[in-house]
Amino acid sequence: MVERWGHSGAEWREWLARSPVGVDLLHWWFDKADLTALVGEDRYVERLAELLSVASARDIAAMGLGCSRDVERACRFPEVCSADPVVPPGGEIARRRRGEVPGACSSFIDCWSPHEVEVDFTAGDRHRSVLLFRGGPSEARLWVDGMPVGEGEQLDKGSLWEEGRFFAIRIAGPDDHPRQGLGHIGAQLYAIVSLLVVDAERRTARIFVLDPTENWTEPVLRVRDGAGYVYATPAACAADIPDREFPVEPPEAG
């Protein structure tokens, strides 16, 4: 069993016996070479994203990805993390789960496969983002609740959830911006970036593009009092000096 599925899969077998999606995900993940040869690289990636978009946190932990506790190694506590989550009466599964948490952590990062998978859940696991960063910003692909977004854009790794509803990720800014150039060391994109914002409740996406007088180097999204605000930098956010403001529409009924 260990030779076929790895230590991670073997240690999660009690949970996987209860999770058909988890078994499908593990099979798709560990048999990548054979399945890619059968269906092609594009279809392999699409199906991987489909499975990640419906899998539970425990299913993803069983894959052996790094988690909120330690991004560079698989879960070391499957006997705890594979247990049913403890949810207080009238409450929900917490947003930031890290470490030996029944039900598994809330975010996962793949540091060793060519796909560079990142999965991030919101509170209650109501929404999730799935980023496959293989090939860098120009080849990266993103799904939010299974919906592909940001197609054709250069995507960054600097993403976040705001208020458990809005997903924001930096994308390449205009080439002709007067301050466009190389980013700082470690940056995935150029110096000036735009911001892609996804409303997971309404399943809509919009791109905020700065004008030539604005300098968005690390744009930040904040939502409060029925409005969204885009700030050029964390410093501008701390000073509450937004460059954009937009109304937040109520979630669609049903």
Side-chain angles (χ1 to χ4, degrees), residues 78-167:
E79 69 279 4
V80 176
C81 300
S82 64
D84 292 337
V86 178
V87 183
E92 63 182 7
I93 300 174
R95 161 71 180 94
R96 287 292 182 189
R97 308 187 300 276
R98 180 178 182 273
E100 298 177 64
V101 182
C105 290
S106 61
S107 61
F108 300 89
I109 301 176
D110 156 33
C111 296
W112 52 272
S113 91
H115 294 292
E116 297 186 50
V117 178
E118 294 189 12
V119 183
D120 199 7
F121 289 88
T122 66
D125 293 356
R126 287 191 301 274
H127 304 295
R128 82 188 65 195
S129 58
V130 174
L131 175 67
L132 302 187
F133 202 70
R134 63 179 190 132
S138 61
E139 299 295 329
R141 298 178 65 180
L142 172 68
W143 294 259
V144 175
D145 290 351
M147 176 180 72
V149 293
E151 295 178 293
E153 302 291 342
Q154 294 187 47
L155 304 174
D156 197 4
K157 282 193 173 184
S159 58
L160 59 85
W161 280 98
E162 173 70 10
E163 295 297 310
R165 173 178 170 181
F166 296 92
F167 179 80

Side-chain angles (χ1 to χ4, degrees), residues 221-231 242 244-248:
L221 173 70
R222 290 291 181 266
V223 176
R224 64 177 184 273
D225 302 325
Y229 302 88
V230 178
Y231 298 88
R244 293 284 192 282
E245 178 179 347
F246 62 94
V248 171

Side-chain angles (χ1 to χ4, degrees), residues 65-81:
L65 304 190
C67 62
S68 305
R69 182 183 191 278
D70 192 335
V71 300
E72 294 183 351
R73 65 178 68 193
C75 179
R76 287 174 283 174
F77 308 101
E79 69 279 4
V80 176
C81 300

